[in-house]
Amino acid sequence: MSGDYNDNKEKKGDIGRLLTGIRLIFNNPLTRSYLKAGTKRVECCEEDKCRNQTVLFHALSSFAGSTVTGCPITARFLSWMIKATIKIGVKVLKGDMESAREALKDPAVRRGVSLVVEGLAKYGVTVPQKMPAPFLIVWNFTNMCNLKCIHCYQRADKPLPDELTLEEKLDVVRQIDEAGVAAVALSGGEPTIHPDFYRIVKELADRDIYVSVATNGTTFAKIENLEKAVKAGIRYVEVSVDSAKPEVHDRFRGVPGAWEKATTALRNAVKLGVNNGMATTITKFNINEVEDILDLAEEIGVNRVIFFNFVPTGRGADYAWMDLTPEEREEFLKTVYREMKKRKLEIETTAPQYARVVLEMSQGEEVAPTHFYVGSNKIVNALAEFVGGCGAGRIYAALQPNGDVTPCVFLPLKVGNVREKSFREIWDTSEVFKTLRNRELLKGYCAECPYKYVCGGCRARAYAYFHDITAPDPGCILNKKEWEKIPKPHVTIRQTAKK
């Protein structure tokens, strides 16, 4: 659904070390006191652009080597203190100062790190870390779509009658910017076929927000359309490919020729050099194709493959029989780890149980802090608890075509609407979000699981099966007894294929 706004594992490692250092140094009343002052927004000029940003953001800009001018004198003093403290944190952890500076030259990364520091100022150190705004918003830009995917979480087809107008979308961009959100992924439906798509991409990018798009590839099969999107500000393109076999993908997507356009779009992204990924939803349709899908990705030359958890919601609820059993998911996650170790390709999965599988298979030497990035040092281990597995309502949120806010695109539980309240107010006050941020409220084995701070189970799957965001995730092998309680639909792949 979205791209990581760090472009490679080395940069992720640098940022992980930086975040860990920040947590260490700012975890005391003295440093937190001036951090709180640093959350005030002021206008300063960086190079040839003036930004109304937090003092924290401007301090990070200065740390990265930018010339920052025009700040109020109190902001300059606070910026100096924050910058000096961060330097101490990096040195304490024996980090590479120049690598940290290089990573922070990206304004979107600075926005993300600013959120972390603001979270520490507001909440102190928590496990997982509470944030003043999400790193990422997945914006379901429209409900209209030119395909008929059987696993669609939106039941995408025609536009909703109450979708946001262009004027309202521009106001949403303002709200997202003022909340401090680092990245926005435009999804759908199919976002690229909406007439407002390119305009909103540019508006987001102009505010230094990292913009990505999740697409079925039909629009970007024409390279000129992808070039237009990149020029507008798209930095990451994720194209859905659900099988290495064209006929299987097309059946899954409901339209002949969909596979050819999807793979062409990925080839175009590779040709243009834009950061890219192949997204695959794992179901009983393609569970035996993992290696073939990875081979296809390597042949195309994509940067990464992201295997998505299937969640039986939206149109996907009509095909719940496609879901993997806990045993199938466990073996799949082990396969992902083995393939990741032997291929140069970056392989990711949204299943939060991957953190546990990696820890177990590496005998505690490695962990996946964000479901997918695997590392093998104490810094990455600290980052794993910091990020905390499933991020619904914690480090990301979803925005629906009509302005409804939900914890995740796979979790259709409305917590507010940006037409009625600001996004920041919804984020701060939603009781649903507060529940999702407290792992002590989990039920069943998820409540006592030793991995709950690096995994926490998929809250969307818990809601889909039990209508309870704190229920156990029945897809985990450790919750097998919960899975066995669920009535299973008596539908086979063979029967569906005949329809």
Side-chain angles (χ1 to χ4, degrees), residues 306 350 377 446:
I306 310 94
T350 64
N377 59 47
C446 282

Side-chain angles (χ1 to χ4, degrees), residues 196-395:
D196 295 339
F197 172 71
Y198 296 99
R199 170 71 184 277
I200 296 302
V201 168
K202 186 176 188 307
E203 293 290 338
L204 288 165
D206 283 350
R207 294 172 182 255
D208 294 325
I209 295 170
Y210 188 99
V211 192
S212 60
V213 59
T215 173
N216 59 35
T218 52
T219 299
F220 294 155
K222 293 183 178 180
I223 196 168
E224 59 269 24
N225 291 334
L226 181 54
E227 287 175 324
K228 182 179 178 181
V230 172
K231 184 177 180 181
I234 286 290
R235 294 179 59 182
Y236 175 82
V237 177
E238 189 171 282
V239 181
S240 297
V241 177
D242 289 303
S243 174
K245 303 171 185 175
E247 66 276 12
V248 174
H249 175 90
D250 290 357
R251 187 167 79 239
F252 211 69
R253 296 278 160 176
V255 175
W259 185 90
E260 185 63 35
K261 290 182 178 179
T263 53
T264 298
L266 280 169
R267 294 182 194 282
N268 287 340
V270 172
K271 183 176 180 180
L272 293 178
V274 60
N275 196 13
N276 60 81
M278 176 189 289
T280 301
T281 300
I282 284 292
T283 66
K284 292 187 185 297
F285 265 115
N286 54 15
I287 185 64
N288 297 318
E289 281 195 64
V290 172
E291 293 184 16
D292 291 339
I293 289 168
L294 294 174
D295 287 343
L296 173 64
E298 288 184 327
E299 184 271 316
I300 293 173
V302 300
N303 298 132
R304 63 188 57 80
V305 174
I306 310 94
F307 290 107
F308 277 83
N309 244 350
F310 171 70
V311 181
T313 189
R315 193 179 295 131
D318 300 336
Y319 297 86
W321 58 269
M322 296 194 307
D323 200 4
L324 305 182
T325 66
E327 292 87 353
E328 288 171 331
R329 181 170 283 99
E330 188 76 0
E331 187 53 42
F332 159 71
L333 293 175
K334 290 178 179 178
T335 299
V336 169
Y337 179 74
R338 287 191 290 264
E339 292 295 321
M340 183 274 299
K341 297 294 285 185
K342 71 181 184 182
R343 296 180 188 251
K344 293 182 179 179
L345 184 69
E346 188 176 339
I347 308 169
E348 310 170 357
T349 173
T350 64
Q353 293 84 7
Y354 190 49
R356 171 185 56 77
V357 170
V358 171
L359 277 166
E360 290 176 343
M361 292 187 70
S362 67
Q363 298 182 323
E365 293 297 317
E366 296 180 317
V367 69
T370 54
H371 313 341
F372 49 82
Y373 164 51
V374 175
S376 58
N377 59 47
K378 292 180 180 179
I379 304 304
V380 177
N381 290 344
L383 191 60
E385 285 198 350
F386 172 84
V387 174
C390 178
R394 294 182 40 257
I395 59 174

Side-chain angles (χ1 to χ4, degrees), residues 155-174:
R155 293 188 184 272
D157 183 10
K158 298 177 181 178
L160 300 177
D162 60 344
E163 289 192 3
L164 298 172
T165 64
L166 175 58
E167 183 179 356
E168 289 173 323
K169 290 188 181 84
L170 293 171
D171 185 63
V172 167
V173 171
R174 177 192 61 78

Side-chain angles (χ1 to χ4, degrees), residues 55 58-60 62 68 74-84:
V55 175
H58 296 306
L60 291 169
S62 179
V68 180
T74 53
R76 292 202 300 270
F77 177 69
L78 274 171
S79 177
W80 176 84
M81 289 185 68
I82 292 168
K83 184 170 64 172

Side-chain angles (χ1 to χ4, degrees), residues 42-56:
V42 297
E43 184 161 308
C44 302
C45 297
E46 178 186 334
E47 311 303 341
D48 59 346
K49 185 175 182 179
C50 293
R51 293 180 171 91
N52 181 23
Q53 276 286 2
T54 63
V55 175
L56 291 168

